[in-house]
Amino acid sequence: MDHRILSVLATDGRISMTALGKTVGLSKTPVTARVKRLEAMGVITGYRAELSPKKLGLEHVAFLEVRLSDTREASLRGFNRAVRLIPEVEACHMIAGGFDYLLKVRTRDINDYRRVLGEQISQLPHVASTSTYVSMETVLEAGGLTL
């Protein structure tokens, strides 16, 4: 039952508890209790609006390979803290492979991206080098985790 509730909430986080209950076959009180329990357990971590990058003028997407000059734990923690402060960085993943991090950066255009790269990303702790890959088209981008 929890998976059914989570599946519905993942696609419609604004659904009323009454409608959610009807969808999964429970009344309002038990479905509300289950949702509150899932929130308390940390399974549901929040609710948010999906924003249109096009309407906001933020269609330029670049992926960045980042190599660090130092990968000791303290350096990784310092990089992690600092990268979270750059609002244009939409995602950051530590990678096992030929580089250390993969960043997804969303900006207005290539000039804005160049500014973010030069003024912010290149200044992050221990950055030795970066390689940029500009997205030409988003074919699939899932808004959330599906079950």
Side-chain angles (χ1 to χ4, degrees):
M1 184 57 66
D2 287 349
H3 282 279
R4 289 171 56 194
I5 290 169
L6 293 170
S7 182
V8 173
L9 288 174
T11 59
D12 184 3
R14 293 186 66 175
I15 191 169
S16 71
M17 289 298 119
T18 302
L20 177 60
K22 285 182 184 175
T23 303
V24 299
L26 293 173
S27 65
K28 180 181 175 182
T29 302
V31 83
T32 301
R34 283 178 176 266
V35 169
K36 287 189 184 305
R37 181 177 49 78
L38 291 165
E39 290 170 346
M41 291 170 51
V43 175
I44 297 173
T45 58
Y47 301 89
R48 63 181 147 254
E50 290 185 27
L51 307 178
S52 167
K54 183 175 185 173
K55 297 283 186 182
L56 294 170
L58 296 170
E59 290 186 273
H60 186 270
V61 175
F63 294 91
L64 227 72
E65 291 179 359
V66 177
R67 287 170 191 77
L68 301 183
S69 59
D70 183 353
T71 56
R72 290 176 289 184
E73 191 59 35
S75 300
L76 297 174
R77 281 195 308 268
F79 178 88
N80 293 349
R81 270 191 308 274
V83 77
R84 288 184 183 109
L85 300 176
I86 302 174
E88 293 86 355
V89 175
E90 197 170 275
C92 176
H93 300 272
M94 183 185 286
I95 300 295
F99 55 96
D100 300 305
Y101 286 90
L102 180 65
L103 278 58
K104 179 182 178 186
V105 180
R106 186 177 292 279
T107 56
R108 289 187 307 274
D109 54 34
I110 192 71
N111 291 324
D112 193 30
Y113 170 74
R114 186 170 179 222
R115 178 193 56 78
V116 171
L117 177 62
E119 295 176 8
Q120 296 180 69
I121 294 171
S122 295
Q123 305 304 315
L124 289 169
H126 311 289
V127 170
S129 66
T130 62
S131 295
T132 297
Y133 303 90
V134 175
S135 172
M136 293 176 20
E137 176 184 4
T138 300
V139 177
L140 172 67
E141 188 164 69
L145 187 63
T146 57
L147 300 178

